[in-house]
Amino acid sequence: MLTVRYFAGARAAAGGVSAEEVSAGSLEDLAEVLTSRHGERLGLVLKAASFLVDGLACHDRRAVLPAGATIDVLPPFAGG
């Protein structure tokens, strides 16, 4: 299981959920699961979001996620 934490607009798009547990093998899989769970609004945010895996930026959405990892979902922020 992974712990997914949402920030800013990602939290709003997830219906106000700040964190949840999810089972997924990669960021690509994670996006599919989360879009299915919360809807297309979150899916659009996830397409533009950056992800931290255990505090480190991960740009390869197909990379295998380590079991028990914490994934931070960071949408684009205004002004920076």
Side-chain angles (χ1 to χ4, degrees), residues 2 24-29 53 58 60-67 69 71:
L2 306 167
S26 68
L27 292 175
E28 228 173 45
D29 296 339
V53 177
C58 181
D60 182 358
R61 294 186 181 224
R62 293 183 182 159
V64 175
L65 296 171
I71 312 300

Side-chain angles (χ1 to χ4, degrees), residues 1-76:
M1 287 299 256
L2 306 167
T3 299
V4 178
R5 300 187 306 184
Y6 300 102
F7 295 87
R11 181 179 295 168
V17 173
S18 61
E20 64 183 318
E21 291 194 352
V22 178
S23 180
S26 68
L27 292 175
E28 228 173 45
D29 296 339
L30 181 66
E32 288 180 26
V33 170
L34 297 176
T35 300
S36 171
R37 187 178 288 184
H38 295 287
E40 191 56 36
R41 183 174 170 212
L42 180 59
L44 292 172
V45 171
L46 295 173
K47 287 179 184 176
S50 297
F51 298 90
L52 299 180
V53 177
D54 288 335
L56 300 173
C58 181
H59 303 289
D60 182 358
R61 294 186 181 224
R62 293 183 182 159
V64 175
L65 296 171
T70 297
I71 312 300
D72 294 329
V73 180
L74 307 170

